[in-house]
Structure formats: C-alpha cells, structure tokens
Amino acid sequence: DLFHATFVEVGGITETGSCGSATISELGHVAYQCVVFNGCGPNCELRTITFDDGSTLVIQESIVGVIAHGQSAGLFEITLTIDGTSSTGRFAGATGGGAGTVILPPFAVITASGTITLL
C-alpha cells in the first residue's frame, strides 16, 4: 500500500534526537513520536511511532542528499526503510520504504512517501 507521511518536530531537539507529531495516511495520527539520530548506525536515524492500539512502527532514515535553498539551511533528501523486525503489533513483519525531504529551521518538517506492506 502507498503511504504519505508528515512528521512535524516541534517537540524540539533531545539529547539523542528530535520529537514531534506524525500523520501517516491510512495509518493515523500520533501526537508524540521521536527519532534517534544515529540510532541504527552512522547516518541511520531510527524513528519509532507508537499508535493508540500500542502497535509500533519503526522506520530507519538516512540522509542521501542536500538541496541548497537560498540563505536558509536548505533541505535534506532522505530514504526510509520500514523495519518490520523491530516494529510490533499490526506492524510486526511489515516491509517497505520510500523517500522524502527534511525542511530545517525553525523546526524540522519531514514529508515522505513510499510503500508499506503489512503481514
């Protein structure tokens, strides 16, 4: 199935990452989720999204490019990989991936799209 996701990280930078809300088409909205920078290795961010039913969707993200944007910090291009081994509940065993962009200051806004296959 195709998905479109938006992560708005207004929760701010933590010691290990960044937090905010998540909206994923067909899957729902989560008021609070976090990404851990280098959580799965160098340039491998680990985003864990816990839904109301207790299921977790784990996504690995990597920066693959930078798009200059005038005087601002610009945009990062990222790839996403669904980590079905670490995901739980209805997302256990899920596969898929996609691509997206990260818009920086004053806070990060990530938009992505791709595919997810649930078992």
Side-chain angles (χ1 to χ4, degrees):
D1 294 339
L2 295 176
F3 73 86
H4 296 282
T6 303
F7 307 105
V8 180
E9 296 176 354
V10 296
I13 299 291
T14 67
E15 287 183 27
T16 58
S18 183
C19 300
S21 65
T23 302
I24 305 173
S25 63
E26 307 303 320
L27 301 180
H29 175 78
V30 174
Y32 188 78
Q33 56 76 41
C34 293
V35 63
V36 176
F37 300 140
N38 299 317
C40 45
N43 190 32
C44 184
E45 282 60 70
L46 200 60
R47 183 179 303 278
T48 302
I49 306 161
T50 303
F51 290 83
D52 288 343
D53 68 357
S55 297
T56 60
L57 176 61
V58 178
I59 302 172
Q60 295 178 358
E61 302 173 2
S62 295
I63 297 170
V64 295
V66 177
I67 303 168
H69 194 261
Q71 300 294 325
S72 72
L75 308 171
F76 291 125
E77 296 176 305
I78 60 170
T79 59
L80 306 139
T81 302
I82 304 297
D83 181 352
T85 303
S86 299
S87 297
T88 65
R90 61 185 163 134
F91 302 110
T95 58
T101 56
V102 179
I103 302 170
L104 294 174
F107 49 83
V109 176
I110 298 92
T111 55
S113 61
T115 60
I116 184 171
T117 302
L118 304 178
L119 292 182

